[in-house]
Each structure stands twice: as C-alpha cells, then as structure tokens.
Amino acid sequence: LCGLFVIDGDVDLPEHGALQNFENEVYWIADNQQKGISPNERIITMHMAARYSRTHYHDADEDTLKVLQEELQKYLKDGTIIKEAQLKKWRYSVPLTTYPRDYMKTTNYPLILAGDSFGGRGRVEGVYMPG
C-alpha cells in the first residue's frame, strides 16, 4: 500500500529527502521534490510494510490514508497542510518468491529472463544489476 500526498509547506526529512525503516508499519517516506522528481509541487510518497499491506489490503482507503497521515504529521513543519491524498494498491509490487541468480538463460531459445524477482533481492535492483 502506498500513499501519495500533495502538501503545501515543508517537511522535516533528512537532506536526501527520504527515511527508510523496515521495523515500522510505514517503512518508507520520501519527499519527491527533494529527490528532484516533482520540482513544481511537494509530493510525499509513503509505503506501508508488506505485512501491514497484506493484512490491511481490503480496509477502506480512508482508514489506510488516516494511518499514513498520522505518520506524515510527525514530519510536517508548522503551518504545512495536506492538499491532496491518494492511496495506491499495488498487490504485486513485491515478489513472494525470488530466483537466487541475477538472470536465467533459457537453453532452447535465445531468451534471458531478469527482473525484480531475480538475484534474491525482490527489489528493482534485480532489474538493474543483470544489465
């Protein structure tokens, strides 16, 4: 589960514009403006942990957004307001099973398979590393 928030004001995040803590229900918070992704608006991306997402996938969007907004409030500077909030549900964003090598080459066809479920990572680096 991922929350996207358009805010008017500033956030108190580290200089690189992101926090990551896999121990928390909200494990990723990023300021897309600080990262150079959204130069004209301050958009905050927040990711819920996989376990939380599986357990709460069918909860009402408003309930999940409330949990995300409560966490976001900790990082908003005084006077900052949330202008817009969206919840994205990416059911298949994290592979449940990964292949231990960076890629798989087929023997009968000129085909090589690679992706985020390769290399044992379960992350986008599985796409990049074999390249």
Side-chain angles (χ1 to χ4, degrees):
L1 298 172
C2 173
L4 298 173
F5 300 90
V6 179
I7 64 169
D8 186 11
D10 291 317
V11 291
D12 188 17
L13 291 172
E15 190 171 320
H16 60 281
L19 288 173
Q20 182 176 358
N21 184 341
F22 288 101
E23 302 299 316
N24 293 340
E25 289 180 343
V26 179
Y27 82 89
W28 173 259
I29 303 172
D31 178 349
N32 294 318
Q33 193 171 55
Q34 284 188 47
K35 291 172 54 181
I37 297 172
S38 61
N40 299 324
E41 285 189 291
R42 188 163 302 251
I43 300 173
I44 307 299
T45 301
M46 302 176 73
H47 292 272
M48 302 302 286
R51 176 175 284 153
Y52 183 94
S53 294
R54 279 192 302 272
T55 304
H56 296 277
Y57 189 84
H58 295 289
D59 289 0
D61 289 4
E62 297 78 23
D63 294 343
T64 304
L65 283 170
K66 182 179 178 184
V67 172
L68 287 162
Q69 287 176 357
E70 287 173 359
E71 184 68 17
L72 179 57
Q73 286 294 332
K74 299 175 186 177
Y75 302 98
L76 298 181
K77 292 190 176 180
D78 288 341
T80 298
I81 61 166
I82 298 172
K83 296 183 351 181
E84 184 180 334
Q86 296 179 26
L87 183 67
K88 303 296 182 184
K89 294 184 174 185
W90 295 314
R91 183 184 299 268
Y92 304 109
S93 67
V94 177
L96 298 177
T97 305
T98 60
Y99 186 74
R101 296 190 184 101
D102 283 342
Y103 62 90
M104 178 190 299
K105 184 176 179 184
T106 61
T107 55
N108 297 328
Y109 303 97
L111 182 65
I112 296 176
L113 305 171
D116 58 354
S117 63
F118 286 79
R121 295 175 198 83
R123 309 204 53 80
V124 71
E125 292 86 350
V127 177
Y128 176 78
M129 297 304 287

